[in-house]
Amino acid sequence: MASVSGVRPQDHQPPAQAATIAAVNGDNNDEGPSVELAFAGQQPPPWWRQVTARSVATSVVLGAVLSFMSMRIGLTAGVGPSFNIVASLLGFFAVKSWTRLLARCGVASQPFTRQENVVLQTCIISCATLSFYGGFTTYLLAMTETVAKSAGGAGTGKDVYTLHTGKIIAFLSLVSFASLFCTLPLRKLMILDYKLMYPTGSAIAGIVNSFHTPAGAATAKLQVLAMSKAMAGSFMWAFFQWFYTGGSGCGFQDFPMFGIKAYKQKFYFDFSASLVGVGMICPVLINFSMLFGSIITSFIMWPTLQSKKGQWYTDPSPTNFKGINGYKVPMGIAMVLGDCLFQLGAITIRAANHFHKNRQEQKLSGASMPDDRNSDEQTSLSYDDCRRSKIFLNEGMPDHVAIAGYILFAAISTIFVPCIFPQIGYYHVVFLYTVAPILAFCNSYASGLCDWSLASVYAKLAIFIVGAWVGEASGGAIAGLAACGVMLMIIGNAAELMHDFKTGYLTLTSPLSMFISQAIGTLLGCLINPLVFMSFQKLVGKEHLGEAGSVFSAPLATAYRGLAVLSVEGIKILPKHSTKFCVAFFFVAFCLDCLTAVAKAKKWKVKKIIPNAMALAIPFLIGPNIAIDMAMGSLLLVIWKKADKKNASTLAVVVASGLICGDGLWALPSAILSIFQIEPPICMKFLSSYQTEEMQEHFLPKLATSSQ
């Protein structure tokens, strides 16, 4: 699973996860009593034994590692891979290894249950997801002077905000903890009454259940071994590449695989193992849609627009909104909005129809059997459902406590959020916290149906509403981005919590322990992610984090900044014909989505090759080399599945995760080498034939003379 341009498309499942969903699809239709009968002799431990000190300690380490990986990929590629499966696997491996080590030393330890595994996974993911929902690659970074200048703004005054670690921790804590209480009273309605699937939560439950059965242990060992090999190989490859980067533009990262002319358009393969791994996780259609968009923009659109310099625009800056960037970013944003508008409408209609159908069925069943309804419902439940419903209903936080908790955090946020971001008023915060529960319910319901969270769509709407409300003179850009953060965290985390409750329901994990683990993970995320972000600022430099053209260009931050600027300044700042292009590409995205929907409904064969509109928008904001890397990951996965489909389905996700982790881990020794000023010994650079002749004519004779 991966995020594309801020939307988290969880319905595109990777192979291993798709297989698991197929195995657990439906609570009682396919699996019957088989799952819980395997655990019939094991009574679930009480909730206070499910949240253990060792699980919290493991969460701190793994949460920090995955937060670092997620933030690094978000800052470079603009996508946010979901590490749910990785967290389950690494948590299982870490605690199992610890208990076995203690056993060999003769020290008794508490058995590692599937409930503790779920609590551990929930805690890790709650921490890691804040790297995205917390805005470190999106709205928070978009407030900085560097991103403001990269997006074409002046980068001064009320339109920029200096990120203070303490204030960011306070902001994250207030909003993210409020999100935990937002839809908590609806857990019974969503999971038991309407029996929403929540595919991600169901998939994780299937994996955890399999880990803790005799048959699942062997598979877990195989996956851990594959991940370890991939991680080691990726780390060594990054280490090997370092030797050839002794200068500007040196190394494998600038390998002109498709020729020098293509290289000048940034169309090259840079041998990034982490991006190849991301490509293996992302759906094939997403990756090749990005590649298709890169080809169109790099070889058709940008050369055409560059030829119009002096006629349509005069600003020479490649980053100013009054120059060529005034075409690139707005057109990308227009495609994003077109896709978001269609998805929002389609999922809202689908959720409303599903909700209405369920209400009608409940009325009919209630009218026909008013006296025996409860008894008939109980007898119709399977063995699995009886055990699961009993624990799910008997253990949990009272609804009035959840409502009081949300109101309390909303009141505190109303006071302190305007202190953190002076550009936003208390009445704006009241408005956001009033609307957020309604939108969170809609998003959680839709996510339960099709596993697609539209939190970022609602967040982008908040940018436009609050940004225009505050106005340009009063710092509307920063106010809109702050409002975006409030909506994104509340709505996104609320949907994530429902997925966790579904996982807990299918594994007999106490809802109270799930909530506590979510709270612990959120607290860790509020502390760890700002520190990780600060480490990136130290390693890369504040002035380069989000800088256009740099390795850590943060394309999503640029897009969010563009939305904020447009919300307060309007279209008057854009160059000639830019708005026409925006309208055209908005309808291109909308029509592509319509065509995709019709193709799926009619079951046309072309549905598998229609480009994804959101993925097509990515090359408007970043270079095509990232799309090439990710497409290479998809190509490797396709070849692997052709050669060995069984192993590919079992190991593809963990191998991809190992590639991501290994490449990311190299950042630490690389930083240490940089601190001690140890430079790579070799510069490997590629020159055109003309440059080679010039070097032979002018440089080599001088070098020979100086050596004599």
Side-chain angles (χ1 to χ4, degrees), residues 28 48 62 109 145 165 240 246 259 301 306 311 333 358 406 410 416 447 461 520 552 576 582 592 632:
N28 51 24
W48 60 86
L62 295 181
S109 60
E145 180 182 350
T165 304
F240 174 76
M301 295 192 60
Q306 287 167 355
Q311 303 176 34
I333 292 173
N358 280 336
Y406 182 79
F416 288 103
S447 182
L461 293 177
I520 294 173
F552 296 95
K576 190 176 181 180
C582 291
L592 273 176
M632 186 66 70

Side-chain angles (χ1 to χ4, degrees), residues 39 42 45 49-50 52 54-55 58 87-100 109-121 208 211-212:
F39 297 96
Q42 302 177 11
R49 291 180 57 192
Q50 296 176 15
T52 62
R54 67 187 179 190
S55 64
T58 306
S88 297
L89 181 63
L90 290 179
F92 174 83
F93 173 70
V95 179
K96 270 290 187 182
S97 300
W98 175 249
T99 54
R100 286 177 180 175
S109 60
Q110 179 180 327
F112 182 45
T113 63
R114 53 179 175 152
Q115 288 79 23
E116 186 180 355
N117 200 160
V118 170
V119 165
L120 175 59
Q121 182 264 340
V208 171
F211 281 177
H212 291 268

Side-chain angles (χ1 to χ4, degrees), residues 244-373:
Y244 297 90
T245 57
S248 176
C250 301
F252 287 88
Q253 294 180 347
D254 295 281
F255 194 96
M257 178 175 286
F258 306 101
I260 296 296
K261 290 185 178 180
Y263 173 79
K264 290 180 179 179
Q265 296 292 336
K266 296 185 178 180
F267 205 87
Y268 56 86
F269 178 53
D270 66 3
F271 294 89
S272 171
S274 61
L275 291 177
V276 172
V278 172
M280 293 178 68
I281 294 176
C282 287
V284 174
L285 182 62
I286 295 293
N287 294 330
F288 283 100
S289 295
M290 288 179 62
L291 182 62
F292 180 60
S294 298
I295 294 172
I296 292 176
T297 54
S298 298
F299 297 110
I300 299 177
M301 295 192 60
W302 302 158
T304 302
L305 289 173
Q306 287 167 355
S307 68
K308 298 296 182 180
K309 182 180 177 181
Q311 303 176 34
W312 290 0
Y313 63 95
T314 56
D315 197 310
S317 173
T319 60
N320 198 309
F321 264 34
K322 295 180 180 180
I324 193 170
N325 211 42
Y327 296 99
K328 293 181 178 182
V329 175
M331 283 192 289
I333 292 173
M335 293 193 72
V336 170
L337 292 178
D339 180 77
C340 288
L341 181 63
F342 178 87
Q343 299 296 343
L344 179 62
I347 292 180
T348 301
I349 293 172
R350 183 178 175 183
N353 288 336
H354 192 272
F355 186 85
H356 177 71
K357 182 180 178 181
N358 280 336
R359 296 292 296 177
Q360 292 295 108
E361 290 178 354
Q362 286 188 356
K363 288 180 180 180
L364 291 174
S365 62
S368 60
M369 295 176 291
D371 296 328
D372 301 326
R373 179 182 175 187

Side-chain angles (χ1 to χ4, degrees), residues 392-448:
F392 194 76
L393 293 173
N394 292 344
E395 299 183 15
M397 182 179 295
D399 292 345
H400 65 273
V401 176
I403 296 172
Y406 182 79
I407 294 174
L408 176 63
F409 277 101
I412 298 174
S413 298
T414 302
I415 299 172
F416 288 103
V417 168
C419 297
I420 299 171
F421 300 105
Q423 292 87 345
I424 194 170
Y426 73 91
Y427 43 90
H428 300 126
V429 181
V430 171
F431 167 75
L432 293 170
Y433 272 89
T434 303
V435 174
I438 301 172
L439 300 180
F441 167 76
C442 297
N443 188 55
S444 298
Y445 193 93
S447 182

Side-chain angles (χ1 to χ4, degrees), residues 11 129 145 174 176 182 195 199 224 298 320 348 390 411 424 453 498 558 610 622 632 635 640 659 701:
D11 59 342
T129 52
E145 180 182 350
L174 287 173
S176 58
C182 186
K195 298 186 182 298
V224 169
S298 298
N320 198 309
T348 301
K390 181 180 179 181
I424 194 170
S453 175
M498 284 298 166
T558 304
I610 299 175
I622 59 176
M632 186 66 70
L635 182 62
W640 189 5
L659 293 175

